[in-house]
Amino acid sequence: MTFSAVREMVYDPTLMREEVATRSTAKSLQKLTPAAPAGSFDYKNLPRRKLADEEQELYFPLASAQFDKAFNAANPRWLSPDCHRSQYGYPFRVGLQLTLENPHRSVTLVSLACTGSEVTEGLFLEKKAREGAGNAMVRSQLDQLADLICKTPASRTQRATYNLPTYASGSVQVANTQVTKSWCAPSERKRPIDTLLLSIGGNDVGFSPLMVYAMTESAGDLAPIANLLGKQIRFSPQVSRAYLEQLDERMVALRDALRDGFGVPPAKVLQTAYEPIQFDETGALCGAQPTLGLDVHKKLVLSRERLGETVSFLNDFFARTACITNGRSGGCPALATGAGTGFQLITDHQPEFAKRGLCARDPKRPQADGEAMAMPRRWIGKEEFTPYSPAAYLPYASRWRLFRTPNDAFLTANVHATGFTQFDILQPVYAAMYSGAVHPTAEGHAIVADHVVRHVRATVGKAPPGGGR
């Protein structure tokens, strides 16, 4: 996304006037916000995409079809619009590393990752596409993989049924759903799978709604967005704990499906544990500065208390995940997985994230880095954007924090919803929470890849002469 260095967007439908969009002088700023003192800013004023009218030295009226056309033409472009699959993700990096380190090795990497996927909607069942007209859907990842592995579609003659606990987002009413899949016989598979990279479970227990819970005071603040998406996007750890009790059943179904459909032994499944997100540069819990990286909207405030509740649940989630993979580890309750799925749970990357969480600043320059985490705005009485020009924002620049803040997400993709006007005050929240917020940065994925690749080498064969990371 490219932003204007001189124009801003005012999220206030009542002020849809050309002068509001341009605001080229301090005089006009003071005229439009007479009650605002110098040295402050209006939350409604945010960076604006660089549009065709600016490039042509024109000004399209805000209520015009010209403006809408130019704004939509500047929408983000996704290589994977249905799943927002990123080539900066750790699976791609692992595949590249394995290929480059040994010229005699042939690597076939198939990435089926799809943002928002659960074991149910995503792996076993189709899910709603991230982008696309109407009710566009994405086929289940297991069906996509079967199409690739089986010699012909007609060879998928073997049927197996799996029990999957299902529930609607935010509801604690659980149903047992029988899902039947069609697989091909081992003799009808094109080739075996050498290793399978897996990152699953966070969406099953509601990771994103939990983070929204930590960042907002009430669900009512985001009700229009939830209605637009057709699901709850904020709920407490108490709801997630109900989902956690069902996770082992889902993982049993996945283990069995990988065995039945593809002949993948559990030991060849490398399950990457999630990274700790909650620590600042000193190792303390985030929230000491509640709006750090979140001032894109005044309703976003990171509560230390609610974050503490969320982290308490996430620690239990991490422990339960370890038990689900290896039921013999100490203190595990009786689970449907019994002795465990047998997947390899990779956790050795987690310490590198311990002091580089969502709110972490560069310890060598914490004040300057903290200031740079603010949303760039044109403060009252000033001509230039502060603390920097949004046109200079670099989404993939190296930063101490290894997770994208809501501010980062707004400036990276600037996604706007089609369900309400472009100038609605909820658009910044939608853009801030939709485009990868509270997920690892490209640098974070690189760190994960450095660890995962070592496990892949051990699974598929010895490292090449001279070694490598």
Side-chain angles (χ1 to χ4, degrees):
M1 179 63 60
T2 301
F3 285 89
S4 171
V6 295
R7 300 184 186 182
E8 57 190 341
M9 187 92 164
V10 179
Y11 290 93
D12 185 346
T14 65
L15 297 178
M16 291 174 64
R17 302 196 304 264
E18 182 178 358
E19 63 193 283
V20 177
T22 57
R23 293 195 174 185
S24 57
T25 67
K27 182 177 180 180
S28 63
L29 275 170
Q30 293 165 355
K31 176 182 177 182
L32 289 166
T33 54
S40 63
F41 63 82
D42 187 339
Y43 270 98
K44 296 190 296 292
N45 303 346
L46 288 160
R48 184 181 124 167
R49 301 174 184 179
K50 188 173 184 179
L51 306 182
D53 59 344
E54 181 180 344
E55 295 172 351
Q56 301 167 17
E57 298 184 355
L58 300 172
Y59 295 97
F60 296 155
L62 298 182
S64 70
Q66 288 174 302
F67 182 89
D68 279 345
K69 182 179 179 180
F71 193 86
N72 292 329
N75 280 341
R77 299 289 184 264
W78 306 93
L79 294 176
S80 169
D82 55 348
C83 287
H84 287 191
R85 191 178 302 119
S86 173
Q87 293 184 354
Y88 287 94
Y90 81 87
F92 283 90
R93 293 177 180 272
V94 169
L96 286 172
Q97 177 64 30
L98 291 172
T99 303
L100 295 172
E101 70 186 15
N102 186 347
H104 302 292
R105 177 188 285 148
S106 174
V107 174
T108 300
L109 171 68
V110 175
S111 178
L112 301 174
C114 197
T115 186
S117 288
E118 301 179 13
V119 172
T120 51
E121 293 182 4
L123 270 65
F124 275 89
L125 306 170
E126 65 180 8
K127 69 178 294 291
K128 193 177 187 318
R130 196 67 163 173
E131 309 285 339
N135 295 314
M137 304 296 288
V138 179
R139 293 189 68 219
S140 80
Q141 293 178 38
L142 292 176
D143 282 335
Q144 292 181 61
L145 184 57
D147 286 345
L148 292 169
I149 290 294
C150 297
K151 292 179 180 178
T152 65
S155 64
R156 293 178 62 179
T157 58
Q158 298 190 346
R159 296 169 69 82
T161 300
Y162 306 92
N163 181 67
L164 289 168
T166 55
Y167 36 81
S169 176
S171 170
V172 295
Q173 300 298 315
V174 179
N176 287 317
T177 303
Q178 300 292 314
V179 177
T180 300
K181 309 300 290 185
S182 297
W183 311 124
C184 55
S187 60
E188 292 299 312
R189 297 173 190 152
K190 295 175 184 176
R191 56 159 294 171
I193 295 174
D194 297 313
T195 188
L196 189 145
L197 304 182
L198 178 68
S199 178
I200 198 71
N203 291 323
D204 294 75
V205 299
F207 171 75
S208 292
L210 282 175
M211 292 310 301
V212 175
Y213 170 79
M215 293 178 182
T216 57
E217 290 289 341
S218 87
D221 294 338
L222 304 180
I225 296 177
N227 292 336
L228 185 68
L229 296 175
K231 63 179 182 179
Q232 287 195 40
I233 58 175
R234 180 192 189 276
F235 50 72
S236 73
Q238 284 68 36
V239 175
S240 290
R241 290 188 183 280
Y243 299 162
L244 183 60
E245 295 305 313
Q246 311 302 323
L247 185 59
D248 59 321
E249 288 276 4
R250 290 187 171 193
M251 295 303 293
V252 165
L254 179 57
R255 178 199 63 191
D256 293 348
L258 293 175
R259 176 200 62 208
D260 300 342
F262 312 100
V264 179
K268 287 193 174 184
V269 179
L270 305 184
Q271 182 179 351
T272 308
Y274 293 96
E275 303 78 29
I277 194 174
Q278 67 268 26
F279 299 117
D280 68 12
E281 67 278 5
T282 70
L285 190 68
C286 288
Q289 298 183 52
T291 61
L292 187 65
L294 285 80
D295 61 310
V296 61
H297 194 280
K298 62 182 178 181
K299 291 291 186 180
L300 296 180
V301 179
L302 186 61
S303 160
R304 226 174 189 178
E305 180 181 358
R306 289 194 300 274
L307 179 61
E309 294 176 44
T310 300
V311 169
S312 177
F313 165 76
L314 291 176
N315 288 337
D316 292 341
F317 167 65
F318 294 155
R320 180 65 60 87
T321 301
C323 288
I324 289 172
T325 55
N326 180 9
R328 298 184 182 89
S329 49
C332 290
L335 298 171
T337 47
T341 58
F343 298 163
Q344 294 187 54
L345 183 64
I346 300 175
T347 61
D348 45 270
H349 61 290
Q350 290 179 324
E352 295 201 42
F353 290 78
K355 295 184 179 181
R356 303 186 68 177
L358 186 69
C359 67
R361 304 166 298 170
D362 187 339
K364 294 182 179 179
R365 50 185 195 92
Q367 183 174 349
D369 197 28
E371 291 173 355
M373 291 172 68
M375 177 59 62
R377 283 187 168 89
R378 295 173 73 176
W379 288 48
I380 306 304
K382 293 186 178 180
E383 285 292 312
E384 304 297 327
F385 279 93
T386 301
Y388 59 88
S389 169
Y393 179 77
L394 300 174
Y396 299 106
S398 177
R399 296 179 173 89
W400 184 259
R401 63 188 181 278
L402 293 175
F403 297 89
R404 299 182 190 93
T405 66
N407 285 1
D408 294 332
F410 178 90
L411 293 168
T412 297
N414 202 240
V415 175
H416 283 51
T418 57
F420 33 89
T421 173
Q422 302 283 26
F423 304 96
D424 195 293
I425 193 59
L426 284 174
Q427 289 285 17
V429 183
Y430 187 86
M433 303 308 294
Y434 186 87
S435 309
V438 303
H439 285 72
T441 63
E443 188 173 355
H445 276 284
I447 290 172
V448 175
D450 285 345
H451 288 269
V452 172
V453 74
R454 292 194 285 268
H455 293 270
V456 175
R457 290 195 196 106
T459 302
V460 302
K462 295 181 179 180
R469 293 195 68 188

